Amino acid sequence: TMISDNLQRVQAQIRGACKAAGRDAASVRLLAVSKTFGADAVWAAWQAGQCAFGENYIQEGVDKIDGLRRM
């Protein structure tokens, strides 16, 4: 999927930047911002391996959590 492909591309960029900086890539954690995306997009990112998500507003996060529970 496009989400999976984009996530893999970003992770590769992180690995490259870490290598250039002499830093362990495992020490970097990607926080995906899910604002403006629905629960289906969050689910697709989760399935692609993304496990940390951020929201601007608590209610939007709660709504997505509720939506994910129904998936």
Side-chain angles (χ1 to χ4, degrees), residues 37-69:
F37 293 94
D40 56 334
V42 174
W43 179 248
W46 175 266
Q47 289 182 309
Q50 180 61 33
C51 59
F53 297 89
E55 280 289 336
N56 280 2
Y57 300 103
I58 189 72
Q59 188 56 48
E60 290 178 17
V62 169
D63 291 345
K64 286 180 190 165
I65 290 168
D66 287 342
L68 289 166
R69 286 184 178 143

Side-chain angles (χ1 to χ4, degrees), residues 6-64:
N6 288 341
L7 183 57
Q8 289 176 16
R9 184 177 43 79
V10 169
Q11 290 170 338
Q13 290 174 333
I14 290 170
R15 286 190 301 273
C18 286
K19 183 176 180 181
R23 180 175 176 174
D24 181 8
S27 70
V28 175
R29 187 168 181 199
L30 178 63
L31 177 65
V33 177
S34 56
K35 83 177 201 179
T36 74
F37 293 94
D40 56 334
V42 174
W43 179 248
W46 175 266
Q47 289 182 309
Q50 180 61 33
C51 59
F53 297 89
E55 280 289 336
N56 280 2
Y57 300 103
I58 189 72
Q59 188 56 48
E60 290 178 17
V62 169
D63 291 345
K64 286 180 190 165

